[in-house]
Amino acid sequence: MQPRVVIIGAGIVGTGLAEEITRLGWTDVTVLDRGPLFRTGGSTSHAPGLVFQTNPSKTMAELARYTVDKFGELDAFDAVGGLEVATTAERWTDLHRRHGWARAWGIEARVVDAEECARLFPLLDPDRILGGLHTPTDGLAHAMRAAERQAHAAAERGARFIGYCEVVEVLSKDGRVTGVRTADGQELPADIVVSAAGFWGARLGRTVGLTVPLVPMAHQFATTGAVPALGGDERLPILRHQDADLYYRTYGDRLGIGYYGHAPRPVDMDTLTRDTAGEPMPSMLPFTTAEFAPAWAESSKLIPALADTEVAEAFDGIFSFTPDGFPILGEHRELAGFWVAEAVWVTHSAGVARAVAQWIVEGGTEIDLHEADLYRFEEAALSPEFIERTSVQAFVEVYDIIHPHQYRTAPRNVRTSPFHARQRELGAFFFEGALWERPAWYEANAGLRDEVAATGVEFPVRDDWSARFYSPISIAEAAWTRTHVAMYDMTPLTRYEVSGPGAAAFLQELTTNDVDKKPGAVTYTLLLDANGGVRSDLTVARLGERHFQVGANGPLDFDWFTRHLPGDGSVVLRDITGGTCCIGLWGPKAREVAQPLCPDDLSHKAFGYFKAIRTYLGTIPVTMLRVSYVGELGWEIYTSAEHGAALWDLLWTAGQPQRVIAAGRLAFNSLRLEKGYRSWGTDMTTEHTPAAAGLGFAVRMNKPSFLGKKALESAPPPDTVLRTLVLDAPDAVVLGKEPVRVDGTVIGYTTSAGYSATLGRTLAYAWLPATVQPGDPVEIAYLTQLFTARVHTDPVVDPDMARIKR
């Protein structure tokens, strides 16, 4: 018997979901909406429909590209093209970066000069612009037409659509949804309930104990009167003037103008519900005329023909923003069968609908969705204050030029390690990540630069863009780690305790490597999905017969573990990150620092690589793991948070004869690139198999079973693989997500990048065709430049692992 599906919301997402789910064979689908069909009164009803596909996220670009393709098939898309113009030198350079993303993700685009911009959009004043980015497959989505046609296709397969039917309660029993109750008292049975309610979604989520981190925001949109110069030409491309927070589209002989430059206006849903009761279009608020004055002034400069008209119609439309700008997708962990597909813009709607339908019906998706997963947020990031502050900031920055290393500026100091005070004393420059304060480099090490340079290490001058959120001190810190010893704050590394009589069997079934070893063993292993894609990489330390410590990548791993826990209570899972801390003590002199403090033998013979012991450093109880993400002798040293400050001081004092330093994340990143170590979420995702990512060594196919094994058994050799590139010029720098070319043809894209103090060159990982081999030359397009590089074998430093195993 087919599952019964109820979708709440008949906008562009809900109708798309119904179409995609019925296409996959589930036809018992009912779509409900509190408003009329299909102009329901939500964001879809007033969406201007501009679709710009290019995005720094490969996932979001793919979702948009599918939307273009599907809406084109539905005759609900007009491929008029997209044009983004630059009026400042910084924006002009950024358009080249966006051009790189487009080529990396396979989207047709070209950088054009001011004259070509004016040819494409004749109303433009070419003297006001430096040039633009033209994407011919961008265009206008006719949102209402797309919604209706998707609904019609779903209805032909058996789906039902009911308007004026508000859901007031999600029914459940024993942790599973059983149906919904509507405002008129009806109860509709359901096995699956999907919230596609748009900006109403956060309220609906609260009724089932789920935080959906989105904020409804009001956004200005105006339509001009007749513009004689347009002459009714609807074939002009959609236009963005991001330097002034503006976008434009044509409506016959009129222009529609959208504006993000006004003060953010979060919408109080309780007030909205009260004030718009009975209104047909609650998502359209009164226009705030005074705030639009700067938009009109800037628009008149860019498009002088606007002098012949004025604003004829206008409103402030509501749509959803999230803390990081991505949608909210996934299933409620504590209420099986309740799904959310929220904070989705028309641009990505069909792609999201397909992905969520695959997820629901088939248990997995073709494209990686970790950036949009419901459970990607840390606990503190789900607080009302955090959600509102960061979502408001996302609105402010929607058209800003965002550096790839740019970090959140507020709120800050939400999570700090016990070493924070000492790090500040050493002049740490902090980045923020997952709400942790993470030292990027230390000003106290500035004096090392000359000493390190005297050994032959180069410190190339960077261009303005790559010099942001960077310091050459990081090169000195990396070089010092290779020759002396350094302390790295590894506290933000997520840590779980997995214990109980079923712990070993649980981990053995979920991970690819053999973790059922004797206590004291450490194993690098992977989590796969059912399709054999890499969900995460883990370090599993067996500290006792029933006790494991797992180094993971964040909340998504906890969610995955939790969903797979056996129901018999034989496994206990705890996130111990906040109650513990960790120092990575690494470098050729690390043993000289630690051994005098420790009663146990820390020699390589007694305490080999990938081993763990519980011991003491001085009076401090510690767990030491002989692992090294930087490729040097040393340990990850864990203790409880109460002992953290004392541990730092103990190692710092003991390391003075060896001239120990504290080193930051930039040095750490460059060292791990030298060693060929991957970063999940950046270098590989569920779209990649272990073999493709160069992690086949972490898979034991002789295990009786593990999640994803069947998919790997039938997987063909990968078409694309992750390779290391070494740039040729000493001062050539890339930052990640740049297109890689051979003979002028784009063949792949970069992921991580960093400067190698050991080689004196920038290193980058890149996804390339498997036919590209070590030694082959390639080109990398960086902003307005083109750099040459060569494919190199992994790792580029210490391939025999001699440095780690001293």
Side-chain angles (χ1 to χ4, degrees), residues 411-433:
R412 292 295 297 269
N413 296 306
V414 178
R415 304 174 85 182
T416 58
S417 80
F419 321 132
H420 188 67
R422 294 292 184 260
Q423 292 165 345
R424 293 184 64 182
E425 291 171 1
L426 293 170
F429 186 94
F430 291 99
F431 287 177
E432 181 272 337

Side-chain angles (χ1 to χ4, degrees), residues 268-605:
D268 184 329
M269 292 302 296
D270 292 332
T271 300
L272 179 73
T273 302
R274 182 178 65 249
D275 292 351
T276 63
E279 288 190 9
M281 200 63 63
S283 61
M284 296 175 68
L285 302 180
F287 188 60
T288 46
T289 305
E291 286 189 292
F292 194 70
W296 186 257
E298 287 295 329
S299 296
S300 299
K301 293 176 185 176
L302 184 70
I303 305 173
L306 292 181
D308 298 328
T309 188
E310 60 186 2
V311 172
E313 298 178 7
F315 63 93
D316 287 7
I318 302 174
F319 63 138
S320 302
F321 274 79
T322 62
D324 56 9
F326 289 98
I328 310 294
L329 313 176
E331 184 182 16
H332 194 333
R333 187 164 64 218
E334 297 172 9
L335 182 59
F338 183 84
W339 290 74
V340 296
E342 302 292 14
V344 181
W345 294 6
V346 170
T347 299
H348 311 102
S349 58
V352 165
R354 179 181 66 159
V356 174
Q358 290 174 344
W359 201 352
I360 292 172
V361 176
E362 301 174 345
T365 62
E366 292 180 32
I367 66 172
D368 175 71
L369 292 179
H370 82 273
E371 292 170 310
D373 195 292
L374 165 65
Y375 285 100
R376 67 188 182 267
F377 296 99
E378 302 287 341
E379 185 177 0
L382 296 175
S383 64
E385 179 182 347
F386 184 91
I387 292 169
E388 177 155 338
R389 290 183 68 182
T390 54
S391 297
V392 164
Q393 189 62 25
F395 180 94
V396 171
E397 294 177 347
V398 69
Y399 278 174
D400 285 0
I401 297 172
I402 304 296
H403 193 277
H405 296 160
Q406 190 166 326
Y407 50 87
R408 183 177 288 115
T409 56
R412 292 295 297 269
N413 296 306
V414 178
R415 304 174 85 182
T416 58
S417 80
F419 321 132
H420 188 67
R422 294 292 184 260
Q423 292 165 345
R424 293 184 64 182
E425 291 171 1
L426 293 170
F429 186 94
F430 291 99
F431 287 177
E432 181 272 337
L435 284 76
W436 283 103
E437 296 297 318
R438 304 171 186 239
W441 66 83
Y442 292 85
E443 290 296 331
N445 296 326
L448 291 178
R449 178 170 174 170
D450 291 343
E451 186 173 346
V452 169
T455 67
V457 174
E458 298 180 7
F459 291 78
V461 176
R462 290 197 169 202
D463 66 278
D464 175 69
W465 182 249
S466 64
R468 300 181 189 183
F469 309 104
Y470 164 83
S471 171
I473 293 173
S474 63
I475 298 177
E477 292 177 352
W480 199 260
T481 304
R482 289 270 183 254
T483 58
H484 290 72
V485 60
M487 294 164 54
Y488 289 82
D489 183 0
M490 302 299 293
T491 302
L493 173 68
T494 301
R495 292 175 292 286
Y496 305 140
E497 179 184 83
V498 181
S499 60
F506 170 72
L507 291 171
Q508 194 77 332
E509 182 62 25
L510 278 189
T511 70
T512 59
N513 212 333
D514 181 11
V515 299
D516 193 6
K517 301 173 182 175
K518 294 180 179 179
V522 180
T523 307
Y524 177 78
T525 187
L526 308 174
L527 293 178
L528 305 183
D529 64 11
N531 297 323
V534 180
R535 277 196 60 93
S536 188
D537 61 339
L538 311 172
T539 302
V540 178
R542 189 168 199 171
L543 304 180
E545 287 292 336
R546 299 183 173 188
H547 183 197
F548 294 81
Q549 179 175 301
V550 179
N553 282 298
L556 290 179
D557 292 340
F558 191 85
D559 178 56
W560 189 252
F561 278 151
T562 301
R563 292 180 188 274
H564 289 86
L565 285 172
D568 58 6
S570 62
V571 180
V572 178
L573 171 68
R574 289 200 310 136
D575 186 338
I576 61 172
T577 309
T580 56
C581 57
C582 178
I583 293 174
L585 181 70
W586 292 308
K589 297 184 179 182
R591 190 174 283 118
E592 296 174 35
V593 176
Q595 183 61 84
L597 305 173
C598 186
D600 288 289
D601 186 354
L602 302 183
S603 68
H604 181 65
K605 183 177 180 179

Side-chain angles (χ1 to χ4, degrees), residues 657-796:
Q658 291 77 31
R659 301 182 65 192
V660 69
I661 66 165
R665 300 294 298 184
L666 295 188
F668 179 85
N669 182 61
S670 68
L671 292 170
R672 66 101 179 169
L673 284 165
E674 291 182 349
K675 288 302 299 177
Y677 296 151
R678 287 24 177 163
S679 175
W680 185 82
T682 300
D683 300 323
M684 73 279 192
T685 67
T686 56
E687 296 180 11
H688 309 112
T689 63
L695 299 175
F697 66 89
V699 179
R700 294 292 177 267
M701 293 300 291
N702 59 354
K703 285 173 59 173
S705 68
F706 59 82
L707 183 55
K709 181 181 179 182
K710 289 183 179 180
L712 295 187
E713 287 174 335
S714 59
D719 294 327
T720 60
V721 294
L722 192 66
R723 298 288 196 195
T724 298
L725 305 180
V726 180
L727 277 69
D728 292 331
D731 60 348
V733 176
V734 297
L735 300 177
K737 300 186 178 180
E738 295 92 359
V740 179
R741 311 188 329 180
V742 170
D743 296 329
T745 300
V746 174
I747 61 168
Y749 58 92
T750 62
T751 58
S752 297
Y755 183 79
S756 167
T758 307
L759 271 66
R761 298 290 189 276
T762 290
L763 307 180
Y765 289 146
W767 282 99
L768 303 174
T771 53
V772 178
Q773 295 295 312
D776 289 351
V778 299
E779 296 174 324
I780 307 174
Y782 168 76
L783 301 181
T784 60
Q785 299 176 273
L786 197 63
F787 295 133
T788 58
R790 285 193 179 272
V791 180
H792 202 288
T793 55
D794 282 339
V796 298

